[in-house]
Structures are given as C-alpha cells and as structure tokens.
Amino acid sequence: MVNHVERFAPSPTGLLHLGHAYSALTAFEAARDAGGTFLVRVEDIDTTRARPEYEAAIFDDLAWLGITWEQPVLRQSERFGAYQAALDDLKVRDLIYPCFCTRKEINAAMSAPHHDGSATGPDGPAYPGTCRALPVDAARLAHAPYALRLNMRKAVASVGGAGIVKKLSFKELGKGPNGERKKVNLDPGYLIESCGDIVLARKETPASYHLSVVLDDAFQQITHITRGQDLFAATFIHRLLQALFGRPTPLYRHHRLITDEAGKRLAKRDDARSIQAFRADGATPEDVRKLLGMRT
Ligand code: GLU
C-alpha cells in the first residue's frame, strides 16, 4: 500500500462552494492517482456554528462530484480530550497563558500611539501581549471567560531558537501566494512579530483551527495536505506546532484560489456560488469541473 493519505476537512458551517470543490477534487484525485487513501474530516469544532444539515449537504455534494472517501468519518467534536491533553502539555511547559482581553480591549491597545500595528499574521494583527505576564489569579480563572494563547517567543525558543526554526521547513508541492515552491523555511521573525501570541483555545471552542488541525492531521497520519493558498501563512504556524508536539510534517500542496468574475475570493456566505445552487440550476459535475478549469 502506498503511503499517501490526503484529507478534505470542511467545516459544516455553510454550504460547499466552488473553492471547496476544487480543494476536494484536487486532493481526491491526487490520492487516487497515487493509489493512496482519501479521508473526509468534519471540522465541527465550533459547536455554536456547526449544523448537521450542512454536514449532510457537504457529503451529498462531494458524492455528486464523484468523490468517495473512507469510513468512518472523523469529527473534531469527538476529539476534545486530545486537544485538552495537548493544551495541558503546553501548560506544563509554560508555553501558553490565559488571556482575558475582549476584542474591544485588544483593538484599543493596538490603536494606542506607541503600538506598531503593522505586523499581521494569518489570524490578523499580532496580539499586543497585554495578558502575557499577568500573575496567576485562580479566582479570575474560575469566573471570567478567557482564551489560551501560545507565548510565541517562548515557543520558538523551545524548539531551539531562531537558528533552528530557520531549519524547520516544509515541502511545497504546489505554490505559495508569492510563488514559493519546493522547500519553504520557517521565518522566526514572521512567527514572533507577525503571528504573535496566537489563540489556541477559547471558552466556546476547546481548540483553535491551528491546534486541532495539527493534532488531527497527525492522528490520521495524513501525508499530503492539499488546500488553498489562503492557508499558506497558517502552514508556518502548523509547522511550528508540529515541532512543538514532535509530530511529523506532511507535504503541502497549496493551490490557486477560485475567484468570482470580479477576482474576489469566494466565501461561504456567497450562497449563489454554492455547489447546491449550481445543482439546482441543472449543472452537471462536468460543468463544475469546467468552471474550475479542471480536466473533464
Ligand atoms: N476546516 C478548514 C477550512 O474549511 C480546513 C482547512 C485545511 O484544509 O486545513 O478552511
């Protein structure tokens, strides 16, 4: 059996649109052509937004596109224990801290005159660090909502510091948004200054996208990750988390983004572009492939 395991990891918080179809078809075909395995993982970690109707619609669209996948499907809602164990591990290593800031407070701190708000990572501007050095306050922890943030500077130090981080790389089989190809090295300055202390868990979501995706890809022994170039910057964080947790690094294939006629990236809320809408209009799977510029 060839060691080629791909996954498509939709969040059941909306309908699949053309961009998702492109990711899913590209990953599925890469696995099939290599004689490997294709998995679908339901990223239903945000239990406030995930809906069973969307999950059913996603499965239905994937099957309609001609995609088949292994059963059973893994749902992130079954993995909360694993995420908690990873957070406990980071806590013991003193690499995470609770952050009580509201979005409003963060925005206010970033618009303060001394703050250089220029650095932006995949989750937006880097957190200004207000709660980083707070003394432990058990009463506040018990009563106030908080997020858990990774202390990025310490995390980089713990995988060996800037020199080693530069040696951490991932192999790009596709292309990054700036034409990055082949071997992509991690940039410690980008991680510390631009990504900053990213959120790894919140009260309502027990693991962030970055944490859950890294743990789940390792758990499912994914060898190849196919996804859009919009997630290229997130891959730097994922590579660092893999190093922190001692997990293997898959190969990455970031693909071009599917845009509308105006060149705007498609979003879940563009329901008019959903696969369901194309189907309702009588489109065939071949029509969708043509629209995506794929072989029919
Ligand atoms: N649930 C994520 C999304 O739909 C998965 C991204 C990934 O492939 O890592 O954007």
Side-chain angles (χ1 to χ4, degrees), residues 224-236:
H224 292 66
I225 294 182
T226 298
R227 60 188 181 193
Q229 283 172 346
D230 52 329
L231 289 167
F232 184 78
T235 301
F236 286 73

Side-chain angles (χ1 to χ4, degrees), residues 156 162 165-166 168 184-193 195 236:
V156 164
V165 172
K166 261 195 203 139
L168 292 179
V184 182
N185 291 326
L186 251 61
D187 172 356
Y190 175 74
L191 286 169
I192 294 170
E193 288 0 304
C195 302
F236 286 73

Side-chain angles (χ1 to χ4, degrees), residues 189-264:
Y190 175 74
L191 286 169
I192 294 170
E193 288 0 304
S194 302
C195 302
D197 293 356
I198 52 161
V199 169
L200 291 186
R202 282 186 199 283
K203 196 174 174 226
E204 67 283 9
T205 41
S208 69
Y209 160 65
H210 302 304
L211 180 65
S212 56
V213 89
V214 163
L215 296 174
D216 293 344
D217 285 332
F219 177 68
Q220 295 192 289
Q221 301 181 12
I222 303 299
T223 60
H224 292 66
I225 294 182
T226 298
R227 60 188 181 193
Q229 283 172 346
D230 52 329
L231 289 167
F232 184 78
T235 301
F236 286 73
I237 292 177
H238 299 178
R239 180 69 190 91
L240 176 78
L241 292 176
Q242 287 153 9
L244 273 180
F245 292 122
R247 301 295 207 274
T249 302
L251 305 178
Y252 288 87
R253 186 188 305 103
H254 293 96
H255 63 67
R256 65 185 165 88
L257 297 180
I258 305 299
T259 52
D260 63 14
E261 295 83 3
K264 196 169 77 51

Side-chain angles (χ1 to χ4, degrees), residues 161-183:
I164 303 274
V165 172
K166 261 195 203 139
K167 289 188 193 140
L168 292 179
S169 59
F170 60 89
K171 197 164 167 199
E172 176 62 67
L173 301 177
K175 200 160 63 166
N178 297 310
E180 297 88 344
R181 274 179 188 282
K182 297 185 176 148
K183 185 169 174 248

Side-chain angles (χ1 to χ4, degrees), residues 94-97 132 149-162 165 188-189 191-198 240 244:
D94 199 23
L95 295 177
I96 50 174
Y97 62 88
R132 193 181 296 132
R149 289 186 180 273
L150 182 70
N151 184 324
M152 189 58 89
R153 198 172 283 279
K154 270 194 179 174
V156 164
S158 105
V159 296
V165 172
L191 286 169
I192 294 170
E193 288 0 304
S194 302
C195 302
D197 293 356
I198 52 161
L240 176 78
L244 273 180

